[in-house]
Amino acid sequence: EKKALKLNYLPIPSTFGVIEAGGEQYIIADPTADEEELMSSSFTIVVNDKGMLSSIEKPGGVLLQDGKLLECIERSKARVGGVVKELNNAHNNRTDNNKNKAK
């Protein structure tokens, strides 16, 4: 018997990469495979659908320059509304398609 999975919140991950060049660090969001080859390290920030920080994973790599992590946390929080909207739209479209198939 199928049971719906009940989540208290929706985790929304954002992955960032660090590229170092000329003594500077450049942070890129959602790096491509080509960008990953140039990266010194990467990290993932997870916020929930309420915009609250859930976790940070940074498995080694270079130290981040002052303020870079906080900047990325804010960027992660800023994208929550758009991601939730897209997920809701996809869910509603799928639900509508399933209802139409059942007719």
Side-chain angles (χ1 to χ4, degrees):
E1 156 184 352
K2 290 183 180 182
K3 289 179 79 175
L5 177 63
K6 177 75 170 146
L7 296 176
N8 292 325
Y9 65 90
L10 179 65
I12 302 170
S14 298
T15 300
F16 298 90
V18 181
I19 296 177
E20 294 185 305
E24 292 291 324
Q25 284 185 342
Y26 300 93
I27 307 291
I28 52 175
D30 194 21
T32 65
D34 289 336
E35 292 167 334
E36 286 179 356
E37 292 181 22
L38 304 172
M39 293 178 349
S40 304
S41 65
S42 66
F43 56 99
T44 300
I45 297 171
V46 180
V47 295
N48 67 27
D49 54 338
K50 308 291 188 260
M52 296 173 57
L53 180 64
S54 295
S55 70
I56 299 172
E57 179 187 10
K58 186 177 181 304
V62 299
L63 293 175
L64 294 175
Q65 293 174 347
D66 286 346
K68 298 283 188 186
L69 183 59
L70 291 175
E71 181 181 315
C72 291
I73 291 170
E74 291 306 314
R75 289 171 64 185
S76 296
K77 289 179 177 181
R79 68 186 286 268
V80 167
V83 171
V84 170
K85 181 179 177 182
E86 290 299 319
L87 289 172
N88 285 335
N89 287 341
H91 174 73
N92 291 339
N93 287 340
R94 184 173 182 195
T95 302
D96 291 345
N97 288 338
N98 288 340
K99 286 180 184 176
N100 291 335
K101 286 180 185 178
K103 289 183 180 180

